[in-house]
Amino acid sequence: MTTRLLLTADVARLVRHDGIAESFRALAGHIAADYVRWAEFDKTPRVANHSDDGVIELMPISDAALYSFKYVNGHPKNHRVGLPTVMAFGVLADVATGTPRLLSELTLSTALRTAATSALAAQRLARPGSRVMALIGNGAQSEFQALAFHHLLGISEIRLFDVDPAATDKLVRHLSGITGLTLVRCRDTAEAVRGADIVTTVTADKRNATILTPEMIAPGMHVNGVGGDCPGKTELHRGVLERASVFVEYEPQSRVEGDVQQMPADFPVTEFWRVLRGEAPGRRSDDEITVFDSVGFALEDFATLRWLDERAQALGLGQPLALVPAMDDPKDLFGELALTTGTPADQVDEAALPVAIPAGLRAALLHCAPHRKDAWTTPPSSRKSDEALVAPAT
């Protein structure tokens, strides 16, 4: 079985083919469908390796049929060296055999799934009829959030603020032509959130920040907190959380990484899957303040990889990748090295030999035959003549 490889260009072709609105709808549908199967998953918080500059994480999860993991980093200073803050790839594998069926980029796809998850949560937690959203942080994730809320919730006005005006310029350049969407530049966070039904914070700095303070929050607001997603990195003043009903993806992970890391261990939170299954209420009144403390959970990537796998097969996207050797005898792994003396020299694919073999030794191996009894041990420069090599042993 070959593994399907999806590159960023393949995911971009998929989204252009289906349309970004339909892509968000389909992705949100896959995420919701997997969240309601919560009990079927073997779950764990992601494994994180932190440094002064950022974090590198592995995010595994599986059900009875499929296993997935995502490799992802978060390095806020990367733009200074021309690299994205977030880079990711992932694997979808069959549980029954362990065979990797899909290896996919997840840098672009993570932005799509994060926005789809945010909008999915807001459908249950924001006031019905919400039309105005403040978007604080206008970096790489911002356009995805704006379009997901526009297409999935009917947001028609987005009030923008970023400490870097060039980031807002970028967003406006990308989205100013969207029919039915008004973009409003604001001088600061306080101006942006004034009169908003929904506030999305999606900032990148790895520090304890207070992007939103209690006096900015009006009754009935829904806060979509995206940027607080690792230890020591927050966006919301604890007073905002104290006034709100707080929803999280996976409590053991969110207590460590989310904005609720500021709160005592008994601070009440509701896992979002319970809302989707009808086991817990979402918004209970028009005046209630709700917070979705989003950190990103492996189940969302599992759903994303399922969606990518289905659409790539339907559209013929990607390319086969010989990631796992195809062997006539699955126990003969050594044979993949093509070092066997019974292999005629003219049948050995030199390009397939391990590149670590020194050039001189490679040449010797390629010319080995069973009757050359000293070819494995004697350097080419000191070998006997061909006549001596074929002489009977004494």
Side-chain angles (χ1 to χ4, degrees):
M1 176 182 176
T2 58
T3 303
R4 185 185 298 268
L5 173 65
L6 285 184
L7 303 178
T8 303
D10 297 311
V11 176
R13 285 180 61 195
L14 188 165
V15 173
R16 289 196 300 269
H17 179 276
D18 291 357
I20 195 160
E22 176 55 32
S23 295
F24 278 131
R25 279 190 284 270
L27 192 45
H30 277 66
I31 293 168
D34 284 338
Y35 263 121
V36 299
R37 299 192 300 118
W38 184 261
E40 299 177 22
F41 286 92
D42 183 2
K43 302 171 287 291
T44 184
R46 57 188 162 204
V47 180
N49 288 62
H50 296 275
S51 69
D52 292 339
D53 296 312
V55 62
I56 297 174
E57 300 166 331
L58 289 177
M59 301 172 66
I61 195 168
S62 67
D63 63 9
L66 295 171
Y67 168 92
S68 76
F69 77 82
K70 180 170 80 172
Y71 165 99
V72 63
N73 77 303
H75 285 71
K77 300 175 185 176
N78 269 6
H79 67 279
R80 300 178 185 176
V81 292
L83 292 172
T85 297
V86 174
M87 297 175 281
F89 68 88
V91 168
L92 187 68
D94 292 318
V95 166
T97 65
T99 304
R101 61 194 296 172
L102 177 69
L103 171 61
S104 178
E105 84 79 42
L106 286 180
T107 306
L108 181 58
S109 301
T110 291
L112 290 163
R113 77 85 156 127
T114 301
T117 302
S118 294
L120 176 66
Q123 288 174 338
R124 272 69 174 182
L125 303 178
R127 281 183 301 202
S130 293
R131 292 294 177 265
V132 179
M133 182 170 80
L135 185 52
I136 313 302
N138 301 159
Q141 174 69 219
S142 60
E143 292 92 344
F144 298 88
Q145 291 282 330
L147 289 176
F149 277 83
H150 174 60
H151 290 300
L152 300 187
L153 275 89
I155 291 296
S156 58
E157 179 180 317
I158 300 183
R159 301 170 62 79
L160 308 170
F161 176 69
D162 194 295
V163 293
D164 179 9
T168 305
D169 292 341
K170 168 191 64 73
L171 185 151
V172 171
R173 184 172 67 251
H174 284 308
L175 302 187
S176 59
I178 302 296
T179 302
L181 183 62
T182 300
L183 305 175
V184 180
R185 294 174 182 264
C186 298
R187 293 186 299 270
D188 54 30
T189 299
E191 181 184 357
V193 305
R194 195 173 301 123
D197 301 302
I198 298 170
V199 178
T200 290
T201 55
V202 57
T203 60
D205 283 349
K206 189 180 180 183
R207 63 190 177 94
N208 288 316
T210 50
I211 306 301
L212 291 182
T213 54
E215 67 272 11
M216 297 179 186
I217 306 303
M221 269 187 180
H222 171 61
V223 177
N224 174 40
V226 178
D229 58 3
C230 71
K233 184 173 184 282
T234 59
E235 295 180 313
L236 311 180
H237 188 284
R238 61 178 293 146
V240 173
L241 301 172
E242 290 169 343
R243 292 181 58 191
S245 299
V246 179
F247 299 81
V248 299
E249 291 142 311
Y250 183 46
E251 185 174 350
Q253 181 175 306
S254 298
R255 293 279 184 190
V256 175
E257 299 179 351
D259 272 276
V260 294
Q261 68 186 265
Q262 309 171 69
M263 311 306 286
D266 61 352
F267 178 77
V269 299
T270 301
E271 289 184 326
F272 182 57
W273 67 270
R274 299 185 63 223
V275 177
L276 288 173
R277 285 183 58 88
E279 297 181 12
R283 171 172 291 273
R284 291 169 291 188
S285 71
D286 284 348
D287 289 338
E288 183 181 18
I289 297 167
T290 55
V291 170
F292 182 47
D293 185 10
S294 171
V295 298
F297 183 49
L299 183 145
E300 297 151 15
D301 302 307
F302 179 97
T304 300
L305 288 163
R306 282 202 308 112
W307 171 67
L308 290 171
D309 190 44
E310 292 169 12
R311 296 305 296 143
Q313 289 188 52
L315 299 176
L317 294 175
Q319 53 189 293
L321 180 66
L323 192 61
V324 177
M327 298 179 287
D328 292 333
D329 179 359
K331 295 182 178 181
D332 184 19
L333 183 60
F334 186 78
E336 292 300 299
L337 295 175
L339 301 181
T340 305
T341 57
T343 303
D346 60 359
Q347 293 183 21
V348 176
D349 181 2
E350 183 176 7
L353 289 176
V355 296
I357 297 177
L361 178 57
R362 176 180 294 183
L365 295 176
L366 285 171
H367 290 88
C368 288
H371 63 279
R372 301 178 70 96
K373 61 181 185 292
D374 70 341
W376 291 100
T377 57
T378 307
S381 60
S382 59
R383 283 195 191 130
K384 301 174 184 177
S385 67
D386 285 350
E387 292 75 16
L389 283 169
V390 298
T394 58

